[in-house]
Amino acid sequence: MPDVFINYRTGDGNDIAALIDTELANRFGKDRAFRASRSIAPGALYPDALLMSVRRSALLLAVIGADWINFQSRLRDPEDWVRKEIEEAFSCGVPVVPVLAGRGTERLRKAELPDELARLAELQSVRLDTQNAEADLKRLGDLVAEMVPELYDLEHGEAPPPGPGSVSNSAGDVSGTAVQSRDFTGDVGNTVIKGATGPVHAGQGNIYQNSRHLSGDRHYSGNGMTNIEGNQRGDIRHRFEDSSRPEGDER
């Protein structure tokens, strides 16, 4: 979904609209701005695409070229798309910023506009001069970031607050390799440990180090056993006692 809708008239300000589109894409990422000639796919219903994009945007930039006001017959036509897009923004409560293209473009005057667009003359405008394009584009981008908090957060790397039930994982003071995954649901089947020195316990049960764990009955019941590993020096003696053995039984 685009955050900024770029409104312009072909033949009057479309080059400025393209500059704005490129600047916003470089600064905030692709498809954060909507510009009709780029954003509407071939074969798509452009009336639906235009109006839907205006409604879903957080800001509309109305590019006003030097001849914009001279298109009087179009501006007074309710079916003129430049007019319809601005009217749609007004009706949906989408903020509108007039962008005056070039040094020679004058501010709009209310008397020159149809009543439906008269509000444009009362809105604070910004100027974008191609001879000062770098500074003016940066200033416009700063304004956009200020008016659209989501773009400000995106540019400054501020993550949105975690949603309900989310889990955050973090690791600090780690020397070597640390493996961290997304939030877990249910059992976790794998544990990754690298470069460990000494015993490591990652689950339930006992831990045995440098020895073999033996199980079974070690009493005198026929099931006991003695296990000796490695080089041994000297005698090895092992004795089993069974308190349950009958007295006098010397087997």
Side-chain angles (χ1 to χ4, degrees):
M1 181 182 72
D3 297 283
V4 182
F5 188 99
I6 304 175
N7 167 272
Y8 66 97
R9 186 179 297 284
T10 301
D12 184 72
N14 52 292
D15 54 340
I16 295 295
L19 283 176
I20 296 172
D21 189 14
T22 300
E23 173 68 14
L24 297 183
N26 291 337
R27 184 161 174 175
F28 304 113
K30 184 180 179 182
D31 297 329
R32 287 291 180 172
F34 180 95
R35 182 168 60 96
S37 60
R38 176 187 60 81
S39 303
I40 300 179
L45 295 173
Y46 75 86
D48 294 343
L50 289 171
L51 296 180
M52 186 66 69
S53 295
V54 172
R55 296 182 193 120
R56 292 181 175 179
S57 295
L59 175 67
L60 183 143
L61 300 178
V63 179
I64 311 295
D67 292 328
W68 194 88
I69 200 65
N70 295 328
F71 289 88
Q72 286 288 341
S73 59
R74 295 191 188 182
L75 290 174
R76 298 187 182 281
D77 179 4
E79 296 303 312
D80 177 57
W81 275 104
V82 170
R83 169 175 166 166
K84 289 178 74 169
E85 291 164 7
I86 296 173
E87 285 183 339
E88 188 69 20
F90 285 159
S91 65
C92 295
V94 177
V96 176
V97 175
V99 180
L100 305 181
R103 296 182 181 181
T105 303
E106 298 180 358
R107 290 177 56 90
L108 297 174
R109 291 188 288 271
K110 211 170 181 180
E112 298 176 327
L113 298 171
D115 293 341
E116 294 79 4
L117 298 180
R119 182 178 168 188
L120 268 178
E122 299 174 344
L123 298 175
Q124 180 65 18
S125 60
V126 296
R127 188 173 299 279
L128 204 165
D129 183 7
T130 54
Q131 296 184 30
N132 193 37
E134 184 176 353
D136 286 355
L137 284 169
K138 183 182 183 307
R139 190 178 303 112
L140 179 61
D142 291 343
L143 175 65
V144 168
E146 180 181 338
M147 297 185 69
V148 185
E150 183 178 346
L151 294 182
Y152 179 91
D153 294 344
L154 181 68
E155 184 178 29
H156 291 77
E158 298 183 10
S166 64
V167 177
S168 298
N169 301 306
S170 62
D173 296 331
V174 176
S175 178
T177 299
V179 178
Q180 181 172 330
S181 183
R182 294 170 60 89
D183 298 344
F184 297 119
T185 301
D187 296 332
V188 180
N190 297 319
T191 300
V192 180
I193 302 170
K194 183 177 180 181
T197 301
V200 177
H201 191 255
Q204 297 181 352
N206 298 324
I207 180 171
Y208 302 90
Q209 183 183 17
N210 300 328
S211 67
R212 181 176 297 175
H213 176 46
L214 305 176
S215 62
D217 187 359
R218 286 168 294 282
H219 296 290
Y220 183 77
S221 61
N223 296 325
M225 63 180 294
T226 300
N227 185 76
I228 301 171
E229 297 185 24
N231 297 325
Q232 303 296 332
R233 296 181 180 180
D235 296 336
I236 298 175
R237 299 180 182 183
H238 191 89
R239 179 181 180 182
F240 289 98
E241 291 184 0
D242 188 357
S243 60
S244 65
R245 183 174 60 182
E247 184 177 353
D249 189 351
E250 298 180 356
R251 287 178 298 172

